[in-house]
């Protein structure tokens, strides 16, 4: 576990920073309106080409566009693991998020040995700012999970990529990088603590056995209550995210319904709900 801690604290964070800079720097350079870098701009656009924006003659170094599925499988598996680890850690070590009176059942549980006698004092040691930081990470990871699950569903059941639809291998690798680095970056501020804590609990369970482990009780409201103590800006951001999430779901449903016969390579112009944006999106997505 110490190796994992050292790798994540001293290895993953700098690696993520360097990777994000390396991924965005070419885009920033290509966006500079200088004629002398036109070749680089066209080269970058060629790497990003997919679907109907890719010339039919460009078949080298390409993969089927249905490989989009790989992005979302990785995102769902990685984000789910992070959500479960972070939520368990936050629930056990980062509550409460507000001053709450001790209930009789809580006091009785401590007196009868139902929970650790010092757990209340231990939780108060963690600064409130740090607790909010951990729970905000859980909150954003849940949004990331919702997005990844929806895109996985759409790839499997909404879009029907044609047999000729392909994308550049570098674009494919960029997608793999994004859906791996994004969840790790979201959880980077507290992933080390969470993974170490979950790992220690697993080791303790293996060493002591189930009969010697304290009972862990989960209450649905207690799991969700800390999220409601987050600030208005977090909930405003979540509301904007949900609006965009629903809107994109509707747009993708329209695009997915355009091809009536599986395997057909011709499409019609989409209508309704930002059609002018769907036309450009259709060229590369379906």
């Amino acid at each position: 576990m110490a190796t994992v801690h050292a790798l994540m604290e001293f290895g993953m964070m700098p690696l993520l920073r360097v990777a994000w800079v390396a991924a965005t720097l070419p885009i920033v350079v290509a966006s500079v309106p200088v004629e002398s870098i036109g070749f680089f701009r066209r080269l970058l656009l060629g790497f990003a080409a997919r679907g109907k924006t890719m010339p039919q003659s460009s078949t080298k170094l390409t993969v089927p566009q249905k490989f989009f599925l790989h992005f979302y499988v990785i995102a769902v598996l990685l984000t789910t693991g992070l959500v479960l680890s972070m939520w368990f850690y936050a629930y056990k070590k980062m509550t409460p998020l507000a001053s709450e009176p001790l209930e009789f059942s809580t006091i009785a549980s401590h007196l009868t040995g139902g929970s650790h006698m010092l757990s209340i004092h231990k939780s108060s040691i963690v600064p409130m700012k740090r607790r909010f930081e951990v729970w905000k990470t859980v909150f954003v990871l849940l949004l990331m999970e919702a997005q990844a699950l929806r895109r996985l569903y759409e790839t499997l059941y909404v879009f029907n990529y044609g047999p000729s639809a392909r994308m550049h291998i570098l674009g494919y690798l960029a997608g793999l990088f994004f859906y791996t680095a994004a969840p790790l970056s979201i959880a980077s501020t507290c992933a080390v603590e969470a993974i170490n804590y979950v790992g220690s609990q697993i080791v303790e369970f293996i060493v002591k056995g189930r009969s010697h482990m304290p009972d862990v009780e989960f209450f649905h409201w207690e799991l969700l209550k800390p999220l409601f103590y987050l600030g208005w800006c977090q909930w405003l951001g979540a509301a904007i995210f949900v609006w965009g999430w629903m809107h994109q779901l509707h747009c993708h449903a329209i695009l997915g319904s355009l091809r009536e016969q599986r395997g057909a390579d011709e499409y019609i112009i989409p209508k309704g709900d930002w059609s002018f944006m769907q036309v450009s999106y259709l060229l590369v997505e379906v």
Side-chain angles (χ1 to χ4, degrees):
M1 193 58 60
T3 304
V4 175
H5 178 87
L7 176 63
M8 297 185 68
E9 187 171 10
F10 301 109
M12 189 177 69
M13 286 293 293
L15 183 61
L16 281 172
R17 293 191 182 104
V18 171
W20 282 117
V21 171
T24 56
L25 186 59
I27 301 175
V28 174
V29 172
S31 63
V32 176
V34 178
E35 187 176 353
S36 58
I37 61 172
F39 172 77
F40 177 75
R41 187 180 299 111
R42 291 190 296 271
L43 182 65
L44 191 64
L45 289 174
F47 292 155
R50 56 190 173 93
K52 291 187 178 300
T53 62
M54 176 172 288
Q56 295 296 324
S57 58
S58 302
T59 57
K60 296 181 179 180
L61 298 177
T62 62
V63 295
Q65 198 167 331
K66 62 183 179 181
F67 279 14
F68 263 64
L69 179 66
H70 301 169
F71 304 161
Y72 310 123
V73 169
I74 290 175
V76 168
L77 292 176
L78 181 57
T79 308
T80 299
L82 288 172
V83 166
L84 294 177
S85 300
M86 294 293 302
W87 209 336
F88 179 72
Y89 170 69
Y91 176 75
K92 297 293 291 183
K93 305 295 288 184
M94 297 292 165
T95 53
L97 285 186
S99 299
E100 299 175 357
L102 291 178
E103 298 180 357
F104 175 77
S105 59
T106 304
I107 300 175
S109 177
H110 281 268
L111 293 176
T112 57
S115 57
H116 200 284
M117 291 290 293
L118 300 179
S119 60
I120 296 179
H121 303 289
K122 285 183 178 180
S123 65
S124 62
I125 295 175
V126 182
M128 189 64 68
K129 181 179 179 180
R130 180 58 176 169
R131 299 188 208 178
F132 272 99
E133 184 178 359
V134 173
W135 278 104
K136 283 190 289 186
T137 300
V138 174
F139 191 60
V140 178
L141 281 173
L142 287 172
L143 300 181
M144 180 74 188
E145 179 85 334
Q147 177 70 7
L149 285 171
R150 201 206 75 231
R151 294 297 286 130
L152 178 62
Y153 164 79
E154 290 173 341
T155 303
L156 289 172
Y157 301 108
V158 177
F159 290 122
N160 177 30
Y161 297 111
S164 61
R166 304 190 65 84
M167 59 179 167
H168 198 281
I169 185 66
L170 291 182
Y172 172 73
L173 295 176
L176 292 179
F177 161 75
F178 176 83
Y179 283 101
T180 301
L184 291 175
S185 299
I186 292 172
S188 60
T189 58
C190 40
V192 174
E193 303 168 26
I195 292 177
N196 283 344
Y197 178 75
V198 173
S200 66
Q201 294 296 299
I202 294 174
V203 171
E204 185 178 359
F205 178 84
I206 295 174
V207 173
K208 293 184 177 181
R210 176 66 185 89
S211 59
H212 295 85
M213 291 290 291
D215 293 332
V216 179
E217 297 180 350
F218 292 99
F219 302 97
H220 295 160
W221 171 242
E222 295 297 329
L223 283 171
L224 296 174
K225 184 165 64 173
L227 298 176
F228 291 93
Y229 285 107
L230 298 179
W232 65 268
C233 54
Q234 281 81 40
W235 283 103
L236 176 61
I240 297 173
F241 169 84
V242 171
W243 176 83
W245 191 93
M246 297 296 295
H247 188 75
Q248 191 178 43
L249 177 65
H250 184 215
C251 290
H252 288 178
I254 295 175
L255 294 177
S257 66
L258 294 182
R259 182 183 296 164
E260 299 180 353
Q261 297 179 353
R262 301 181 70 87
D265 288 328
E266 295 183 359
Y267 308 92
I268 60 175
I269 300 299
K271 296 181 180 180
D273 200 358
W274 289 8
S275 296
F276 67 95
M277 294 185 65
Q278 293 179 37
V279 172
S280 59
Y281 188 77
L282 177 65
L283 292 175
V284 296
E285 184 66 17
V286 184

